[in-house]
Amino acid sequence: MKRFLAFFMLLLPIALSAQTKLSANIAEDFSNRVAERYQQKNHQAELFIADQLSKSGTGGLDIDKTMTDLKSDPAALDESLKFLFQYNDCNRQTLIAYFREMGVLSGSVFPLATYTVNKYKNESKTLIEEKATIIKMGAMPVAAATPQPIPAKKPAAARKVSSEEEATTVSHENDNTPTAASAGVAEPGDATAATAAAGGEDYNWDVRTLFKLRTPQELENLYGKENVVYRGTTDLAGNDAGNAYFVFPDTDNEMQVIFDGDKSPTITFTKPHAKWKSPFGIKVGDPLDKVVKVNGRDFKINGFEWTDGGIVNSWEGGQIAGKGVLVLFKANNSGDPNMYDKVTGDKKVKTDMGVLKKLEVVVDKIEFKSN
């Protein structure tokens, strides 16, 4: 009996380790199954995962690329398992059934389920509550439905029209009844009134859309030629960066776009209070604490009033690391030299320095460049 207990105690750490780590082949198997289903665009769970990864920022700037190669991004893979756990109501048996439906190899199903449950069981209550809220708000992605043929309209029964009705019909055909365009609804590529440019609700404000663009023409088609100007700009450090395309220039929604041939364009924001839905939810004016929270750990910025001052030097391996995000910070309360001098000059400043909060450090500019 003692030998059995000793043997059991020897195996226990190994068993626990197997439940808290994923082998490379299991991660690859799950990644491949997700990629296959996501590309079909008709599996609700995979669309849900992509949407949640995008909202959290873990999916990076090119969610399509992330979803088709999760094995190359361990943080995104872990988060995708969390959201799949959430989608399946944090129920182990339901999750196992879903893994099988996905076509996950039989030898990978139980280790994958065990890993997921162990990692996120303490978040189960919160995840279930969040899912209920998502459903209530109607924000659960819907899989693409198979197109159904449009039934032919039944011919209307012939009816004799009186001369008075005919006159009324002619009158209506010749009046100026407002159309969608004349009512100020902005269609992509449709030149509408400039008053809608800075505040219209009919534009696509999701920044992720822009990473797929490759030409200025595509940009003008989305936001109207009259809302795009080409003029000189600077980089985050204030150096001459040539010319950029400015969307909604000189408004709260101003955005800068620099195209890079067949690569993703560089998107820059310098205005607070914009309507744009940005990756990771980071916006101009956000406090330093928020960016630290999104990154999941403290990071380093270059000392202010120096070369590249205030720009993030290293994300220190956090969630934003390697995701094509560059942030410039500024101190709103820089009048006290005793405090400000501690974070200025040729040095790297860790964001856990208490003085940064007193200096009211916030996002001044932010640049996105999809990999």
Side-chain angles (χ1 to χ4, degrees):
M1 184 64 177
K2 290 182 179 179
R3 288 181 180 179
F4 174 77
L5 288 174
F7 182 69
F8 176 77
M9 293 303 292
L10 182 65
L11 289 180
L12 183 59
I14 299 175
L16 289 175
S17 175
Q19 293 177 349
T20 55
K21 292 183 180 179
L22 279 181
S23 64
N25 62 312
I26 292 178
E28 183 174 8
D29 182 26
F30 174 71
S31 175
N32 292 340
R33 299 291 81 75
V34 170
E36 291 171 1
R37 292 165 70 91
Y38 177 70
Q39 289 171 313
Q40 295 172 22
K41 300 296 183 184
N42 61 353
H43 293 281
Q44 189 179 22
E46 281 66 32
L47 294 177
F48 175 73
I49 291 170
D51 192 56
Q52 296 303 97
L53 284 176
S54 294
K55 289 177 180 177
S56 69
T58 313
L61 307 186
D62 188 344
I63 189 62
D64 290 338
K65 180 180 178 181
T66 301
M67 287 293 290
T68 53
D69 193 21
L70 285 171
K71 62 181 178 292
S72 298
D73 192 335
L77 189 143
D78 274 351
E79 288 289 283
S80 68
L81 286 170
K82 179 176 77 172
F83 294 129
L84 189 58
F85 188 45
Q86 181 183 40
Y87 180 83
N88 285 283
D89 298 322
C90 300
N91 183 289
R92 177 185 171 84
Q93 294 307 314
T94 306
L95 183 64
I96 288 173
Y98 196 85
F99 284 144
R100 287 173 173 160
E101 181 191 329
M102 289 176 69
V104 172
L105 295 175
S106 58
S108 301
V109 170
F110 286 101
L112 198 58
T114 300
Y115 173 81
T116 305
V117 173
N118 283 349
K119 192 172 185 67
Y120 299 111
K121 60 185 177 183
N122 292 333
E123 299 179 40
S124 295
K125 183 179 179 181
T126 300
L127 290 172
I128 291 173
E129 291 174 350
E130 285 179 353
K131 182 184 177 183
T133 301
I134 291 170
I135 294 173
K136 186 176 181 179
M137 293 173 62
M140 177 75 79
V142 178
T146 303
Q148 298 296 320
I150 300 174
K153 292 183 178 180
K154 294 182 179 180
R159 184 174 68 88
K160 185 177 180 180
V161 181
S162 67
S163 58
E164 182 178 350
E165 289 175 321
E166 185 175 12
T168 302
T169 302
V170 172
S171 175
H172 283 182
E173 288 176 348
N174 292 320
D175 67 12
N176 295 317
T177 304
T179 62
S182 63
V185 177
E187 295 293 334
D190 179 30
T192 57
T195 53
E201 295 295 340
D202 299 298
Y203 291 101
N204 185 343
W205 298 105
D206 192 333
V207 176
R208 291 172 297 176
T209 304
L210 300 164
F211 297 122
K212 300 181 184 297
L213 305 184
R214 294 295 179 269
T215 67
Q217 183 62 51
E218 293 174 310
L219 187 67
E220 293 175 352
N221 287 344
L222 276 177
Y223 301 104
K225 187 174 182 179
E226 76 284 2
N227 298 323
V228 180
V229 299
Y230 187 59
R231 66 190 187 197
T233 189
T234 59
D235 61 18
L236 264 61
N239 304 310
D240 182 12
N243 291 327
Y245 291 88
F246 286 71
V247 181
F248 305 139
D250 306 316
T251 72
D252 285 344
N253 293 313
E254 181 179 280
M255 170 185 62
Q256 300 176 29
V257 182
I258 296 179
F259 290 97
D260 188 17
D262 293 333
K263 299 178 181 178
S264 173
T266 300
I267 314 295
T268 305
F269 295 95
T270 61
K271 305 284 187 180
H273 313 303
K275 291 186 176 182
W276 297 100
K277 297 177 182 177
S278 61
F280 295 93
I282 303 173
K283 295 184 177 182
V284 174
D286 280 345
L288 177 63
D289 286 352
K290 175 180 176 180
V291 184
V292 171
K293 184 177 181 180
V294 171
N295 189 50
R297 64 181 64 181
D298 283 293
F299 50 90
K300 294 178 181 178
I301 62 177
N302 296 316
F304 295 106
E305 310 297 341
W306 202 257
T307 304
D308 295 332
I311 295 177
V312 173
N313 174 267
S314 171
W315 292 110
E316 298 293 282
Q319 295 280 16
I320 307 179
K323 297 293 175 62
V325 182
L326 190 61
V327 177
L328 168 67
F329 290 95
K330 68 176 181 180
N332 282 328
N333 183 23
S334 59
D336 186 341
N338 291 327
M339 290 196 300
Y340 196 45
D341 287 351
K342 294 178 181 179
V343 294
T344 59
D346 187 13
K347 64 183 71 171
K348 304 298 180 287
V349 180
K350 193 77 177 288
T351 55
D352 60 357
M353 287 186 64
V355 68
L356 292 175
K357 190 167 187 178
K358 295 178 181 178
L359 289 169
E360 299 177 12
V361 174
V362 300
V363 175
D364 187 30
K365 296 180 181 179
I366 184 165
E367 178 183 292
F368 299 104
K369 170 75 173 176
S370 178
N371 297 327

